[in-house]
Amino acid sequence: MIVKKKLTLLTFTTILAVSTLLAGCSSNNAGGSASSAPSETPKVAKAPSSSPGAEAGDKWVLGAKPLSFTAYSHYGDIDFPKWDSKPAGKWLKENKQVDITMITANGLHEQKLSTMISSNDLPDMIWTQRDDPMVEKLRLEGKLVAYDDYLDKYPNLKTWMGDNLNFLRADDGKLYRFPNWYTGRPAGNAGYVVNKKIYEELGSPKLETTDDLYDYLVKVKEKYGNSITPLELHMGQNVQGFGVIYTAFGEGTLYSYLNRDIRGVPKDNKLTSLFTDPVFREAHKYLSKLFREKLISQDAFTQTQDNVKEKVLAGRVAVYASSSPTVFAMEGHNVLTKNDPNAGYFMIWPIHKAGLDKNKIYPGTYTTLGWNASYITTAAKDPEAIFAFLDYMTSPEGMNLQFFGPEGEYWKGFDADGKPNFTDKYNAEEVAKLQKENDAIMFAGNTGYIDPAKMKLEAALPPEKQNWSARYQSTITWPTQYDVTEFIQISPSPDSELGIMQKSFDEFFLQVYANVITNTKSDAEVDQVLDKAEKDAQALGYGKILEYRTQKWQENKAKIAGKK
């Protein structure tokens, strides 16, 4: 689904952002004031009462009358497509009178939103990171709509997210975020994809440790030269694939430690500097070596997602690591196997440094709160109607529409657990195509519902007939993702003194990160660069930022433990 640092579920997804996710990688944080431990995923015996129909009382019912609004994706690498160019959007426009005008930024998202703010010409809905600084400024200026009055009226979000919804509340205690891909169960797709044909041509060697991986990449380069990228690390400018490699060098080392909203390493209940962390240093000596030996794309920090996608779909990568490699790998697998049944991609258990416990390596993370969020601005003429629409999209009926199409063809009705009853017409290839096309407009995803719903069908199929992503999610990615809900919303306000320091530090960090991988010629030089980076970072206020985040992190842990 569309996320920065992305939480792709059982389907082909965009990135991105996964995140954006992950984007960039995005934040793994969200706001919070109240607390509770993650609730059990609720069971739904039938389609929720908010299903569309005739309008009743003062409650907005989807389809009872036209709903038109504008929506904007505030990401540098993700623009919303034309609404009715996607199957779900087309169906909703034709059958439920929903018409969304998508506003694009064409890569200039910061400038685009700044212009809209300065001209007071805001979109009705903004979809972005849960704690984007520019959107937080809008909240502080009173230009976002609070959702509290809608939660009981349109109950899907509240039902499925439970008390964890309180973690998304702003400092004023109100709720402004409608989360995307929230869950009460492990989710995510980070890890490693391997080109099957190349792997078998090289003798199917062991690929378990970082030493194994290095030896394999060398063999790829020796055999295929420049025609194949030995290791494709997704979106270097967002620290994506590089972050996956980082996790291989320490038990319990998390990809999220590199993210903008943490950028620190927990030690003795404190967040400490990445630059002085031995695991960080060892991992980046390894990455520097791979880069200077041309085992990694030499344009890893500048190439676009389209560049990566083209290589994966063409089979021109031997190993592909990302916060959500299933995004392109499933499509690539389907493309390659059409022409050659022995081609395609498969996933492997996460790589680990020799001597470490492979079951304590976590290449990806998730939070119960998902990755990004939708905000409704005060420019909206009918914010309640937009919230009702988002609540429908996150409902069982809305999720099934996006994943399996309108009720009647591939699914009909619900079983006792609220999962869809699939019909005899179900066509896995057509459903995969449908999910891929709808991916770009999945901005109110409900992971807790759709993952078990999808697995109901997949579990009954033999492995070779299962959805490519679903097979590896159930066996590899979900068991190896780590819950980082305790690290949500630990960054200072962007307008505060610390917030300004953080912005300067973030720019500095990304410069150092790229430099230590692409411009160092030895392990000793890596240490020199990081030694200097530590001194410069402290001068920028890095230590103060870590102290603030440590305090907020400890408060979150207390909330989760039920002590606040």
Side-chain angles (χ1 to χ4, degrees), residues 133-188:
M134 295 180 74
V135 178
E136 174 63 7
K137 288 181 180 179
L138 289 176
R139 182 188 73 81
L140 294 172
E141 293 170 3
K143 294 183 178 180
L144 296 182
V145 175
Y147 300 154
D148 302 74
D149 292 341
Y150 308 145
L151 291 175
D152 291 327
K153 205 171 184 181
Y154 309 96
N156 283 298
L157 177 61
K158 183 177 180 180
T159 297
W160 284 94
M161 195 161 188
D163 290 340
N164 283 340
L165 192 61
N166 290 323
F167 267 108
L168 295 176
R169 294 187 180 279
D171 291 341
D172 62 6
K174 296 181 180 180
L175 181 69
Y176 300 89
R177 303 172 175 96
F178 198 108
N180 192 34
W181 304 123
Y182 56 93
T183 182
R185 60 193 300 283

Side-chain angles (χ1 to χ4, degrees), residues 341-410:
N342 295 319
Y345 292 102
F346 65 95
M347 293 197 77
I348 59 173
W349 195 259
I351 296 291
H352 64 281
K353 177 187 171 184
L356 300 182
D357 185 342
K358 71 174 186 177
N359 295 312
K360 294 181 180 179
I361 303 298
Y362 305 98
T365 59
Y366 70 97
T367 74
T368 59
L369 313 181
W371 268 259
N372 29 42
S374 294
Y375 302 80
I376 300 173
T377 76
T378 53
K381 294 180 180 179
D382 194 344
E384 180 176 338
I386 298 175
F387 183 90
F389 165 74
L390 292 172
D391 199 61
Y392 167 80
M393 293 295 276
T394 209
S395 72
E397 184 171 346
M399 293 307 302
N400 288 330
L401 168 67
Q402 296 170 80
F403 273 77
F404 310 118
E407 184 177 11
E409 184 171 9
Y410 297 136

Side-chain angles (χ1 to χ4, degrees), residues 202-419:
L202 290 175
S204 303
K206 182 166 67 77
L207 268 181
E208 297 177 1
T209 69
T210 52
D211 293 333
D212 295 338
L213 178 61
Y214 173 78
D215 292 341
Y216 182 69
L217 299 179
V218 170
K219 291 177 182 176
V220 170
K221 184 170 178 58
E222 289 174 347
K223 181 174 177 62
Y224 301 97
N226 295 330
S227 66
I228 297 292
T229 299
L231 177 60
E232 185 63 62
L233 297 176
H234 191 74
M235 298 302 288
Q237 61 268 47
N238 292 332
V239 198
Q240 280 207 25
F242 291 96
V244 172
I245 297 292
Y246 162 62
T247 67
F249 286 85
E251 293 178 2
T253 293
L254 303 181
Y255 176 103
S256 293
Y257 296 163
L258 305 179
N259 287 353
R260 186 189 69 182
D261 301 293
I262 301 179
R263 293 221 164 115
V265 180
K267 290 182 180 177
D268 300 324
N269 285 318
K270 293 182 180 179
L271 287 174
T272 61
S273 172
L274 278 166
F275 299 134
T276 60
D277 178 50
V279 174
F280 183 87
R281 292 197 171 212
E282 184 176 14
H284 290 81
K285 288 173 183 176
Y286 181 84
L287 285 166
S288 172
K289 180 180 180 181
L290 296 185
F291 188 87
R292 63 179 177 263
E293 294 185 14
K294 294 183 170 55
L295 302 177
I296 299 173
S297 296
Q298 297 300 284
D299 59 352
F301 284 92
T302 57
Q303 64 183 344
T304 66
Q305 290 206 84
D306 286 341
N307 297 145
V308 176
K309 179 179 179 180
E310 187 276 328
K311 285 187 279 187
V312 174
L313 266 58
R316 293 193 291 108
V317 300
V319 181
Y320 172 42
S322 169
S323 62
S324 191
T326 54
V327 172
F328 297 150
M330 184 172 79
E331 184 179 11
H333 178 81
N334 292 335
V335 169
L336 295 173
T337 53
K338 277 187 177 180
N339 297 323
D340 182 355
N342 295 319
Y345 292 102
F346 65 95
M347 293 197 77
I348 59 173
W349 195 259
I351 296 291
H352 64 281
K353 177 187 171 184
L356 300 182
D357 185 342
K358 71 174 186 177
N359 295 312
K360 294 181 180 179
I361 303 298
Y362 305 98
T365 59
Y366 70 97
T367 74
T368 59
L369 313 181
W371 268 259
N372 29 42
S374 294
Y375 302 80
I376 300 173
T377 76
T378 53
K381 294 180 180 179
D382 194 344
E384 180 176 338
I386 298 175
F387 183 90
F389 165 74
L390 292 172
D391 199 61
Y392 167 80
M393 293 295 276
T394 209
S395 72
E397 184 171 346
M399 293 307 302
N400 288 330
L401 168 67
Q402 296 170 80
F403 273 77
F404 310 118
E407 184 177 11
E409 184 171 9
Y410 297 136
W411 69 281
K412 186 173 180 60
F414 298 84
D415 64 17
D417 293 324
K419 298 173 184 175

Side-chain angles (χ1 to χ4, degrees), residues 71-82 101-116 123 125-128 134:
Y72 166 65
S73 171
H74 184 52
Y75 283 113
D77 53 355
I78 300 176
D79 274 331
F80 283 143
K82 185 178 179 182
T101 300
M102 303 300 204
I103 299 173
T104 60
N106 299 314
L108 302 174
H109 64 301
E110 297 287 351
Q111 298 93 316
K112 182 69 174 181
L113 185 54
S114 293
T115 299
M116 289 191 287
M125 188 190 87
I126 298 172
W127 181 80
T128 186
M134 295 180 74

